[in-house]
Every structure is written in C-alpha cells, then in structure tokens.
Amino acid sequence: MKNLGINEIRKEFLEFFRENDHTVLKSFSLIPENDKSLLLINAGMAPLKMYFTGEKKMKNDRATSSQRCVRTQDIDRVGKTERHATFFEMLGNFSFGNYFKKEAIHWAFEFLTQRMEIDKDLIWVTVFKEDEEAYNIWKNEINIPEERILKFDKDENFWELEVGPCGPCSEIYVDRGKDHAIDENDNKPGNDNSDRFMEVWNLVFTQFNKNEKGEYERLKHPNIDTGMGLERLAMVLQEKDNIFEIQSMKDIIGKVEELSGKKYKQDNKVDESMRVIADHSKAITFMALDGIIPSNDKRGYVMRRLVRRAYRHGKLIGIKGNFLNAIIDKIIETYSYEYSELLDAKEIIHKVILKEEERFQNTIDKGLEILEDYIKEMKEQNNTILDGDKAFKLYDTYGFPLDLTKEILSDYGFDVDEDKFNEDMRTQKEMARENRQLLGAWSTDTNIDIDDVEKTDFIGYDELKSNANIKKIFIDSKSVSSINKGQKGIILLDKTVFYAEGGGEVADTGLIVTDDAKAKVFDVQKNKDVYMHFIEVIEGSLALEEVSLIVDRSRRLDITRNHSATHLLDQALIDVLGDHIKQAGSLVDNEKLRFDINHYEKINKKQLKEIEKIVNEKIREQLPVDKQIMSYEQSQEKNAIGLFEDKYKEKVRVVSMGDYSCELCGGCHVNNTSEILIFKIISESSAAAGVRRIEAITGRKVYEYLLEKESLIDEISNKINAKEDQILTKISTLEETIKEQKQKIHDLKTNTNKDIFNDLENEVKNINGVNVLAKRIDDVDVSTFRDFENRLKNKFDSIIIVFAKAQESKIIFNVSVTEDLTDRYDAGKIVREIAQMTGGNGGGRKNFAQAGGKDIDKLDDALNHVYDLI
C-alpha cells in the first residue's frame, strides 16, 4: 500500500471522484447553516442535508468533499486514550438521487485497492442484515469471499443523526494483521476494542429522512452518503499504531516537545497532555477560522473549553506563558496546502486565541484559589464529593468551567455532585426564562400541501401592482374554494408582486382586491418557489378568481433603502475592520436595518464614525445599482460576496453598486444609491459570543431621528436656562459649581467622621487579647467603612472589625480581620453567620468579607452576637 500523508491522500481522493464526474466541494464552515439540530458540523454529509431531502438542488447531482469536522462527545477522553480526537477531516462522495449502491461500492473498492494499493485480500465488509442488494454486490460483483462479508443488525449498520437523512450502511475494514490482535479469537471485525480490523470507510445508502418526531419517511430519490476519516486512512497507509503517530500529528507534537522540553512516549502523563494540546489546537484553529469566539454559550463554550483544556495541559508539562499560537503556526503550516484561507486569517486567529489565554489566566488564578480552599476543606472533613452548589458558584461567579473543576478534583480522587450542579443550572435558566417577555404573534403556519402547485412567478422587482389568479386557498391548512370576511388564511397565486421573506429581508404587506372584496396581506413566505400569501379578508369574499395585487409602496421603499444600505455597510465594515469580516445574520425591515458580523472585539466609536462616513459618501456619489442574473462562475469574476451555498446554484442574482459593492442577493434594492438619502448608525452591541451587531436607519427615519434630537436639545436648553449655542458653556459652569459644593460636603463629612472615629476608638473591646468592634453606622457609605477599618488597624494590633448599615430595607455587613488573626478567625464565616441571623447570606476571604441582610429588626442582635462568636 502507498505510504501517503494527509495532503496527498486528500488530493488523490478528490481527484478520483472528480474523474468520475463529481463536483469537488470545498469544505463547508464548522458552523451549520440553517440547521438548528447541530452545534457544529460533525460529519461530511451534515452541511448537505437539504440537498439530500430535495429542498435544494445542485447543478450536478454528484459531489465529493473533504469536510472539516468537530465532535465533542468525547472531549474528556481525548488525551487519555490514543483513539479519541475532537477534530478530523471526513472524506466523502455523495449522490443526490443520481447513483446508488452499485456505483458507490465499486468506486470505494477501486479507490482503496487501485489508488491506495491496499491488498484486496485485506478488505472485510459489513452490511445491514436485511440489505441483500449490498451483500450481493460485494459477493458477486466485487468478489469478496462470503466469510469476509458480515451481516449486522440496525445498531451496527444503520446510520442516522438525531434528525435528517438516514439508511442502511456498509462498512469497509482493513485487516492490519495478527500483531494488532487482542488474542487468538480476534479474527474478524466487530470488536470495538481491537485495533486489528480498522474501519476506514462507511457507505450509507440513504433511503429515509428521519423527522424530529423520530419517524422515518422514505425519500423519493435514494441517495449515497459515504464517509472516510482522513487521519484514520493515513494511519493505515503509514502503518502507524494510532492517529497521533501519523506524520502530520508528529509534526505538531514535535512543536509541543520543543516548547515543553519534554519528549513524547517517555511518560504517560506527559503523553496525555501532548495529545490534548495537539488535538485541541487543531480544533480551535479551524473554529477561529470559521468565526467562532470563546464564550459561555453553545459552540463558543465548546471552543472556550478546548482552549482552556489545552492551555492547562501546557502548564502541566511546564510550558511557560501563552503558547497556543506557536502550536497553531505549525498547524497552519501543515493545513494551508488545502486551506489557504488559514494564511489570510492567521492574525485574527492569533488575536482570538491569545485573548482567551489571557482571560483564562485571570479566571484560573481566582478559581484555583477558591477550589484549593474547597479541596483543603474536603480533606479535613474526609469528604470526597464537592458540593454541587460550590461547583456552580465557581462556574457562575468566577467563570470556572465544571469540566475543569472535575478534572482538578480527579487528581485528588475527588468528584463533584453533578446532580446538584445541574439543578442549580436549571433553576438559573428557569428564572431567566420567567423574566423574559414572551411576544405573541399571528401564526404563519405553512403546513399546507403544495406538491402539485406550480412555482409562483415573482414580478415584484419591477412592479408593485398587478393582476393575478388565485390558484389555491387554505384555511387552517385545509384547501377550500373561498374565504370570507373576518377569516384568515393562505392563498397561492400564479404570479405575485409581493416579496416573500428571505435573505434577511421582511416580506411585503399590502392588499389583494376585487370589485367586491378586499384582503390585507400580513406576511408572505416561500417554500420551493411557491409564494404563500397570509391574508385576512376585511370586505366580501375571495374565491379562485382573478384579483388585483397592491404592495404597500411607502413601506417597500423604506425596506429597499435599508437593504441597499446594508450592502454598502458590509463593504465599509470590511474596509475599516479587515477582510476577516463575515456576515453572521441580518434583518431588513421598513424601520431599520440590523447587521451581524463575526468580529472578536467591540467596534469603537472612531471606527463607527469612519464606517458611517464611508456609507454616506457612497450615497452622495449616486452610484448606479445594477442587478444581473448570471452563473456563479461569472459572479466570482466580479468578486461578488455571497453565502457558501451560493456556489452550487446554477444561476445567481448579482447586485452591484458602482465599483464599490458587489454581492449575491435576491432582495429588493434601490436603482441608485442616492435614493437611500442618508445613513445613520444608531447602535453597536454584542449579539452573541464573537458576533457584533450594528443597527442603523436611512431616509425618512433619519429625518425623524434628527427631529427627536432637536427636541431633546431644546428640552436641555430650557432645563439649564441656556441658548443652544451656550449649552456646553453653561454645563461647564454647573460642573464647577457642583465640584465646589462636593468639596464643601466632603469637608463637613470629614469633620463629622473625625467625631465618629473618636467614638469608635472608645467602643473597641478586648476579648482574650483580641480587639473587637461591632458597630452599626447608617449614615456613611461603604468606602467610609474601609477608611475607618484602615485607621483602626493602624491604631490597634490584632483587631476584628464588623460594620453594618441599614439602607432602604436592606442591610450591608463588612467584616475585616487583621492578618495575624486569620489562622484563628475567618471573616467569611463570621459574616455568613451574622448575615444569616438577619435572613441574608454572604462570604469572602479570611481577612475580609461582605454580606447582605434583610431583617433590620434583628440587626442589633446580630452585631451583639459577634462578641459571643469571638
């Protein structure tokens, strides 16, 4: 067999299927598009579900790819074994109703035995026990002996995700020889613990679609989905024991050896850490490439966990400082052969990873200090299970991940009460859910039968009024012949001027009328090129007849202004922030535009002003807006920006604004940028981890915005009794007056505090050689407490100070203990006990702690109790 590296294998595989008339797809992003069932792409077919189900079409029904994937269910096992990994590439060939089992099996066998030169006598296969068709192809056409074709049940040979395309499968194994066997009985595939028979390729014969209810629906056109792990095939061809010994991984581990000064395969614990660093570094490199930013939510949390786990294992083997980017450079060097975009994104990847390393250093210092106290306490109490409440506090207050808590505890043979932790997590989520406002909306249920309906002819780019024929009417998903006044329903037309919601642009609204009837159009949705008009009849009744369509023209004009401004904004963001900017979502309606981008930090005011300036310059330049239908290849010659999936459409619509902006877009636009009138950014915020959101307005809304600002300025002028051009001068005068008055107040307080402090000195009690003061002072702020504490510590050796104040029906406690007493007295325990007497709680360090209370009537008793405690 050929001894090939991953880049050579990938190239050979894609070229083989290109020669067999497959379209070579570049790897999709790790972020699933339009698939809420997946957190991250975890299989080659995952980004292609809609092509398998027929919801989308490629111009060629055959495709092949090497898809980057991340699987997260075994993160804790990575490093501990030599089998598990989070990042891998999946080689695959796919048929969308074109070819089926015969071709898939023949090509797989040909590639392995002829291109990779694997001895055909080493090939074993398994099939689903009810799949006689696949069995007979292997036996009678490929001539695999019966004893090397094994039949298994559904658990082994029926492939499916939680939802989506699925079906029986046939797995191809390579016999690596008796040297890899567990024992003399290890003589055929089926033992997951054996390394002798290595599964290299899974051929899935997709005949069904599994819906969210778990039901299997037979596909009209059966498909082929195959998957072969690139790293696993490299392991077989290079005759290595595991994936961490293939050449590409050896290069990465070599860099870890260089940074740590330690050698791989000399110490089991060191080996574990090196495997973690090598694998996780690959995953985070590609996650950062795809715009994922570490956070505490969803895929951002996965990335945060991987970065922090890799970072911690670096510390365990003695690597100093921030080091992950040095590993990432080696990964980019290896993988840029296929993923040249890694070179362009290198600077951004470095910034994202370095920022998280630095953030984790702060987190780990605080969290470790607290966790070490918990571990010390557990040892003293002979307790091996950490309270779930404490683990949740580490997570919720200090950002210390549960998996890291568990990993550190395991070093001491300890564990954590995960049930209690999960209960606290559920409680927090329920509270958040209860506090969230639920917005009601009119249902736009689209569960109607449109299989026999011809596609709707959309003429609304150029026309806002037209006649059309009603082809179907639905009420509550049932087909009817008419719809009457007061009823809501869905109508289908032969043609329409109403734009259907899509591409971030909201649907048109308007009227459908006849001589005797009128209906409001509330919403328009599209399914397989059929436009569904959601209506409410307000006069007469509508039947299967000719009607007049009228789009709300004023609303449409506002929408087109906002949509065209979004294109200018997109390009301006790239110009100001960099080429890494990618759209992460958008919403365009008649009120505003909202645009989300993948970006690793807040956009500052200077940058926002520059972005806004550029957009308005392009509006004033009166750029012509050109809309053309062309092939995807032609659009790329124009450097048009588009979504990944646009690559596989036969025709695309290109919207160009002069020579400045060029994007693939099916939305509604102005004919000249001057029609946008004016553009104003009104907010910049975080939409999610690693996603920044800009909201802006155009045209009429900017005029309304300016009127509001003018009104506000008038109100301010009246409030401070100054003309508009004198507002800043008057504010400066007022600030100076306030400053002088604050100084007078401060002087008065200082004199008062001197009197209070003199009284405090006289109230300090000595209990068994320890100075103690417990005092309620309502008329000072907390910073004054700290001032009194410092002055008392300078005056008295060995002192415990407890201050409390009642304020707006709540109590604030401060407890301070001098360092020489912390081996005997714990400020955190003292404050917790007295706060609980007043219905509150709190805690802190041994030398200083704070708490809150509720029952003011019990405050004096709580303070008196301090002397009993001491």
Side-chain angles (χ1 to χ4, degrees), residues 546-561:
E546 186 178 44
V547 293
S548 296
L549 313 178
I550 307 168
V551 170
D552 183 335
R553 182 176 181 276
S554 176
R555 183 174 179 275
R556 165 72 84 85
L557 289 176
D558 286 337
I559 292 169
T560 58
R561 289 187 186 102

Side-chain angles (χ1 to χ4, degrees), residues 323-341:
F323 68 93
L324 287 175
N325 279 328
I327 310 294
I328 285 168
D329 286 344
K330 176 58 68 174
I331 292 164
I332 291 175
E333 181 185 315
T334 301
Y335 280 87
S336 58
Y337 175 87
E338 173 66 14
Y339 302 101
S340 58
E341 58 267 37

Side-chain angles (χ1 to χ4, degrees), residues 62-74:
R62 299 178 177 185
T64 184
S65 70
S66 182
Q67 175 62 44
R68 55 185 182 265
C69 303
V70 169
R71 289 186 183 170
T72 60
Q73 58 265 46
D74 292 320

Side-chain angles (χ1 to χ4, degrees), residues 617-747:
E617 283 175 353
K618 298 307 170 185
I619 292 170
R620 291 195 299 274
E621 287 174 15
Q622 303 179 44
L623 303 176
V625 179
D626 186 42
K627 305 109 178 176
Q628 290 182 302
I629 304 295
M630 61 183 72
S631 69
Y632 178 77
E633 288 74 17
Q634 289 173 309
S635 77
Q636 291 311 283
E637 291 173 9
K638 294 169 70 72
N639 295 319
I641 298 171
L643 296 174
F644 193 100
E645 62 188 44
D646 289 322
K647 292 183 180 183
Y648 311 113
K649 294 177 181 175
E650 287 194 35
K651 295 291 182 181
V652 294
R653 183 169 179 259
V654 178
V655 177
S656 305
M657 299 183 183
D659 294 327
Y660 185 66
S661 167
C662 187
E663 296 194 22
L664 306 187
C665 181
C668 302
H669 289 275
V670 299
N671 294 312
N672 188 288
T673 58
S674 62
E675 295 171 30
I676 300 170
L677 303 177
I678 190 169
F679 171 85
K680 177 66 185 170
I681 294 173
I682 55 174
S683 73
E684 189 275 349
S685 61
S686 173
V691 177
R692 305 305 301 182
R693 170 169 292 171
I694 288 179
E695 292 192 0
I697 51 178
T698 64
R700 183 163 50 88
K701 285 294 175 183
V702 177
Y703 176 66
E704 293 173 4
Y705 173 85
L706 292 174
L707 289 178
E708 287 178 9
K709 294 296 181 186
E710 188 175 58
S711 175
L712 179 62
I713 291 170
D714 287 343
E715 189 176 345
I716 293 170
S717 295
N718 293 332
K719 287 276 186 184
I720 65 173
N721 193 25
K723 293 180 180 179
E724 185 177 321
D725 60 352
Q726 296 175 345
I727 288 175
L728 291 178
T729 304
K730 185 62 178 284
I731 288 174
S732 296
T733 302
L734 290 172
E735 284 178 332
E736 191 61 37
T737 301
I738 292 167
K739 183 179 177 182
E740 291 171 1
Q741 291 177 343
K742 279 185 175 179
Q743 185 60 47
K744 288 179 181 178
I745 292 168
H746 177 267
D747 293 342

